[in-house]
Amino acid sequence: MENMFINEAINELKTLQDMLRWAVSCFESENIYYGHGTDNPWDEAVQLILPTLFLPIDSLAENIKEAKLTWSERKKIIDNIMLRTKKRIPVPYLTNKSWFCNYEFYIDRRVLIPRSPFGEIINNNFKNIVSHSPKFILDMCTGSGCLAIASAYVFPESQIDAVDISADALAVANININNHFLFHRIKLIHSDLFLHIPIKKYDLIITNPPYVNNEDMRNLPKEYLHEPHIGLLGGNDGLNFINRILFIASDYMNENGILICEVGNNIENLKKKYPNIPFTWIELNNGGKGVFYLTFQQIIDSKQYLIY
């Protein structure tokens, strides 16, 4: 029955507009979960179909919507729609494309799909957080390299070290760094957090570490289970990596340094564990939550409360 449904779609749907409409209908009927770059079926359809046709994501003018597609193009699109709805595979893993801070990134299953509220902070040029252009930036748990690359555009004079424990993730980050011609400014380091980083004083440390706790991990939508668990799971309370970062970060910061860290929905866990640490929670207006910053001096003053 499903094969008949698919064959009918391939034979009857002729134009790009037809495919977009059909994809939206499929997404609505299958009740898929959004959260990997879109929040609605139309944007999801656009981000699946246009890259599948090797068209720019902003090329959806009226004249192209009526463009007729070849049989092989229609089949490829419908195959991807089926993978998205039946297997719950996120769109960026089907197209190998994702967008963060309006920049395009290569993405595959070796890395998490970019979606951090850090994007709003970067788009606002770190307003009211970083008061001067940092010379040295550390991006801890870089994954695809999206934070390091987007920050490099904000601070064109900075040198950035991008660190990850996953050699696979660093391979993807290297692709993106080269695609953005930033290989002369961003250095990749293979390390378990700070373990293999030479002592260096950074002006800014940004980090989006794994922070999903065990309970939340068991309840994640199917779409997230296609992502590498090493990039998600932060231990029983979700704070394993955050504890280590807080404990060691000041050794790698200069006296005017800033640490910015995403903890997602672990805000209350973190506050409960460290009630005496003066986290400044960044106001986010475009979705997402749980990003704080601390100054070097605040971390030093809080050393007595930190638990490795």
Side-chain angles (χ1 to χ4, degrees):
M1 188 63 153
E2 185 173 298
N3 286 338
M4 290 178 58
F5 173 71
I6 292 172
N7 289 333
E8 180 186 40
I10 294 173
N11 292 323
E12 297 294 331
L13 303 172
K14 302 296 185 182
T15 67
L16 178 56
Q17 181 67 53
D18 291 339
M19 282 293 174
L20 286 165
R21 196 282 306 160
W22 193 78
V24 170
S25 296
C26 289
F27 296 159
E28 289 278 48
S29 66
E30 294 288 344
N31 195 31
I32 63 173
Y33 187 88
Y34 305 100
H36 289 102
T38 70
D39 60 7
N40 64 83
W42 174 260
D43 288 341
E44 189 87 352
V46 169
Q47 291 202 9
L48 185 151
I49 292 172
L50 292 184
T52 300
L53 296 172
F54 302 99
L55 291 172
I57 199 69
D58 58 355
S59 63
L60 203 59
E62 286 301 321
N63 58 335
I64 202 170
K65 286 183 182 179
E66 296 306 319
K68 290 185 178 179
L69 305 178
T70 67
W71 185 92
S72 59
E73 287 176 327
R74 300 198 299 269
K75 184 177 187 306
K76 179 60 176 174
I77 291 168
I78 288 169
D79 286 347
N80 277 346
I81 292 171
M82 290 297 101
L83 289 171
R84 179 67 188 92
T85 54
K86 303 303 181 183
K87 301 292 186 181
R88 294 296 198 266
I89 299 174
V91 164
Y93 289 157
L94 299 172
T95 64
N96 298 124
K97 292 182 184 293
S98 185
W99 287 263
F100 182 75
C101 293
N102 298 316
Y103 299 111
E104 182 180 309
F105 293 91
Y106 171 84
I107 297 296
D108 63 31
R109 294 195 194 207
R110 292 175 289 179
V111 294
L112 298 186
I113 297 165
R115 55 182 177 273
S116 171
F118 255 107
E120 180 178 339
I121 297 166
I122 293 170
N123 284 336
N124 289 334
N125 298 324
F126 294 85
K127 184 179 179 181
N128 299 324
I129 303 170
V130 178
S131 60
H132 61 285
S133 181
K135 184 177 181 181
F136 298 114
I137 299 174
L138 174 64
D139 175 21
M140 180 63 70
C141 307
T142 193
S144 64
C146 63
L147 294 188
I149 290 166
S151 297
Y153 284 111
V154 173
F155 301 117
E157 303 301 318
S158 64
Q159 292 292 318
I160 302 174
D161 291 336
V163 178
D164 208 286
I165 192 174
S166 167
D168 283 341
L170 291 175
V172 174
N174 189 57
I175 292 170
N176 286 315
I177 289 166
N178 282 286
N179 286 348
H180 286 269
F181 302 100
L182 288 167
F183 42 84
H184 61 297
R185 293 183 50 212
I186 301 177
K187 176 184 177 182
L188 295 173
I189 300 175
H190 187 204
S191 178
D192 179 1
L193 298 183
F194 295 96
L195 192 60
H196 296 117
I197 305 177
I199 290 292
K200 183 175 180 179
K201 301 298 183 181
Y202 293 96
D203 305 289
L204 175 63
I205 298 176
I206 55 177
T207 181
N208 182 10
Y211 56 70
V212 180
N213 61 51
N214 289 345
E215 181 180 357
D216 286 348
M217 196 75 188
R218 288 189 291 269
N219 296 314
L220 285 175
K222 292 178 180 178
E223 280 81 353
Y224 290 98
L225 300 180
H226 290 279
E227 297 187 285
H229 288 193
I230 192 175
L232 294 170
L233 188 56
N236 188 50
D237 63 357
L239 300 178
N240 284 4
F241 298 98
I242 295 163
N243 293 333
R244 292 170 60 193
I245 290 168
L246 287 172
F247 194 84
I248 300 172
S250 60
D251 294 341
Y252 289 81
M253 299 168 69
N254 68 37
E255 293 183 357
N256 296 312
I258 300 286
L259 166 70
I260 310 176
C261 178
E262 179 177 341
V263 301
N265 60 359
N266 270 327
I267 295 175
E268 295 308 318
N269 283 346
L270 193 64
K271 288 180 178 178
K272 183 177 179 180
K273 189 163 191 174
Y274 299 117
N276 296 307
I277 296 181
F279 300 107
T280 298
W281 297 98
I282 299 170
E283 183 177 350
L284 299 165
N285 299 312
N286 298 329
K289 61 180 179 179
V291 183
F292 70 80
Y293 74 84
L294 290 168
T295 66
F296 167 81
Q297 194 58 54
Q298 286 173 327
I299 298 175
I300 291 294
D301 293 343
S302 301
K303 275 283 190 181
Q304 59 185 309
Y305 307 117
L306 293 173
I307 304 168
Y308 189 87

